[in-house]
DNA sequence: TCTGCTGAGATACAACGTACACAAGGATGT
DNA sequence: ACATCCTTGTGTACGTTGTATCTCAGCAGA
């Protein structure tokens, strides 16, 4: 009574934790998701195909549908799986340190799995265990500081938004490099140059032109990220009095 | 010598501004992009199909390929077109006000066109005129404040990252509502409840549970956004001494 | 009028997600 | 030991997608 495809109304997570004692369970939803993670890491999100997953596991194209409602559920599961890699900060740390660590580690995670930021909205919004573990730790770090529940959520979301946005752009660069076979930041600039040079040479963007001539660090994203992160944390500290 | 599909090596923007004087120019790249925007606004990004665009314009399925290298270029163009809606802050405003206005207006733009945040990486990274106009205004707002080119870019990117991340989540909610036909925030909570309740009832997420019982504003995203934005601006002001 | 080029159409193909019906083979009750 | 059922995995098939390629129609310049 477990994986009869469309007839099982239980949530994905419930099904995963309570699999029916079955005769021949050689496959599983997690197995599909793990191989999907492997493929996506190596070849990008577009390489994830129900057929590809099947061939990778030496199984018929439709085999996955016994364990998963559809491709969307595979993506959802992939998203949750990799978040298990993120080490949750130890107990006893202050809120600022907790959020700093989570931010830095999330960035690394996103850069390691560049497809993560490109999952469909459903996969991002649906609550999932490993993601919730992290949110829980972040929210808990505000306990006892005298701020209310709404402020806790707002503060958490603020840091998380910054991280998602900043890493998202970095990831876009990285996944574009993967698609196009570019290796360095120079390749990126070179690849985008045809579009860029025509526009910049028009003289309509003087500040941009100035930056490209004066800047020393150019696109040091790690530096930009850490600077921005400290700004956000400073701001929270000041506005919420924590 | 303009739109011979694969033989024209010029950048998209150059081609748009200098169309070849042609005998019968009834179609154009922009025409396809505009109808695409209309469809995406009404039915979401997944409704954008080369065939759909063609039928919408009463034209053969392959007609667009004379003006556009492929679907990706349509998406790129869509992204640029809607950014023209964003009113650029008037001259004479201080950097903080400029960035505040751009941030608020970008959020509104993203919520108005929920597909915008889901364009492929190429469409986000490729420099485009209307997007560059905004970046230019933001970068220029730092002139004469005594910060160097690298700091300008870092500061701009910081605000932009926060905006992108925060609005991105809001947009994910909105586009999920569009897909599922949900109308209110309660519908969202209701739709996600099957996944959520199993997890939260497990007792593994006490802080989350506490929030859902104690919070008053629940998910007031606009409030969260403005609070976060002020934090970011405060932080930049302090760290860069501007 | 002839030649050549260009805008648009028609046809075609491979790849995708997934619905559906069916077969194989342990588990179970007797 | 045997018959039964239920679950797992297969085979086949359909509709939809992006796009390569060939073809034709009609205006330009000679």
């Amino acid at each position: 009574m477990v994986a009869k495809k469309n007839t099982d109304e239980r949530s994905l997570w419930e099904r995963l934790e309570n699999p029916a004692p079955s005769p021949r369970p050689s496959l599983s939803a997690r197995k599909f998701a793990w191989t999907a993670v492997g493929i996506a890491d190596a070849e990008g999100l577009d390489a994830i195909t129900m057929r590809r997953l099947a061939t990778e596991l030496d199984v018929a194209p439709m085999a996955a549908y016994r364990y998963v409602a559809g491709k969307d559920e595979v993506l959802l599961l992939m998203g949750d799986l990799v978040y298990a890699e993120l080490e949750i900060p130890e107990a006893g740390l202050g809120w600022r340190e907790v959020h700093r660590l989570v931010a830095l580690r999330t960035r690394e995670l996103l850069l390691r799995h560049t497809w993560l930021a490109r999952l469909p909205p459903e996969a991002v919004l649906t609550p999932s265990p490993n993601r919730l573990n992290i949110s829980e730790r972040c929210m808990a770090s505000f306990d006892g500081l005298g701020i209310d529940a709404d402020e806790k959520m707002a503060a958490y979301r603020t840091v998380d938004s910054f991280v998602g946005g900043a890493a998202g752009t970095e990831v876009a660069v990285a996944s574009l490099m993967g698609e196009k076979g570019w290796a360095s930041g120079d390749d990126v600039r070179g690849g985008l140059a045809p579009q860029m040079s025509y526009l910049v040479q028009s003289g309509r963007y003087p500040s941009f032109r100035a930056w490209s001539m004066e800047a020393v660090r150019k696109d040091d994203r790690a530096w930009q990220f850490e600077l921005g992160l400290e700004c956000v944390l400073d701001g929270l500290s000041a506005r919420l009095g924590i």
Side-chain angles (χ1 to χ4, degrees), chain A:
Chain A
M1 197 189 294
V2 57
K4 269 173 65 185
K5 227 179 51 174
N6 289 331
T7 61
D8 193 337
E9 298 286 350
R10 297 177 304 160
S11 102
L12 173 60
W13 316 116
E14 195 166 357
R15 268 152 44 211
L16 279 172
E17 292 191 7
N18 310 26
S22 82
R24 295 162 295 164
S26 87
L27 293 175
S28 73
R30 261 190 251 268
K31 217 161 189 170
F32 283 99
W34 271 124
T35 54
V37 167
I39 296 172
D41 282 346
E43 305 174 36
L45 194 56
D46 294 340
I48 300 299
T49 287
M50 296 307 277
R51 292 172 149 87
R52 173 71 188 278
L53 290 180
T55 49
E56 210 79 12
L57 286 169
D58 263 316
V59 122
M62 290 298 293
Y65 286 87
R66 190 73 52 181
Y67 299 90
V68 152
K71 189 183 183 181
D72 284 348
E73 227 175 57
V74 175
L75 297 176
L76 175 59
L77 206 42
M78 289 173 67
D80 189 62
L81 281 180
V82 292
Y83 269 98
E85 290 176 16
L86 196 153
E87 185 191 349
I88 292 181
E90 56 188 310
L93 296 173
W95 72 269
R96 183 162 181 143
E97 192 61 16
V98 168
H99 284 262
R100 228 178 63 87
L101 286 174
V102 169
L104 293 172
R105 289 172 188 171
T106 301
R107 172 173 175 266
E108 285 167 13
L109 186 74
L110 285 168
L111 290 175
R112 201 155 52 231
H113 306 287
T114 57
W115 44 270
L116 200 46
R118 303 198 46 217
L119 293 176
E122 201 178 345
V124 179
L125 293 177
T126 305
S128 80
N130 287 322
R131 282 165 122 107
L132 272 178
N133 280 337
I134 299 162
S135 302
E136 170 66 23
R137 181 71 185 88
C138 288
M139 289 293 283
S141 76
F142 291 128
D143 284 347
L145 295 175
I147 67 177
D148 67 33
D150 289 307
E151 289 170 327
K152 287 179 188 176
M153 182 58 84
Y156 166 58
R157 285 253 171 83
T158 298
V159 183
D160 196 52
S161 293
F162 168 74
V163 173
T169 310
E170 287 189 68
V171 158
V173 175
S175 64
L176 192 61
M177 289 170 62
E179 278 176 29
K180 302 270 184 177
W182 297 337
S184 69
D186 284 342
D187 285 348
V188 176
R189 266 186 288 279
L192 262 30
Q195 316 278 338
M196 193 67 171
S197 62
Y198 173 74
L199 291 172
V200 170
Q201 281 173 9
S202 73
R204 279 175 287 194
Y205 311 103
S207 298
F208 233 78
R209 188 182 186 76
W211 170 77
S212 75
M213 294 191 308
E214 295 169 18
V216 175
R217 315 181 78 119
K218 293 284 180 195
D219 274 337
D220 186 341
R221 300 275 185 173
W223 172 71
Q224 294 174 356
F225 184 86
E226 292 185 35
L227 172 65
L229 179 58
E230 295 303 328
C231 289
V232 175
L233 295 175
D234 284 351
L236 288 175
S237 180
R239 294 226 162 219
L240 299 177
I242 54 180

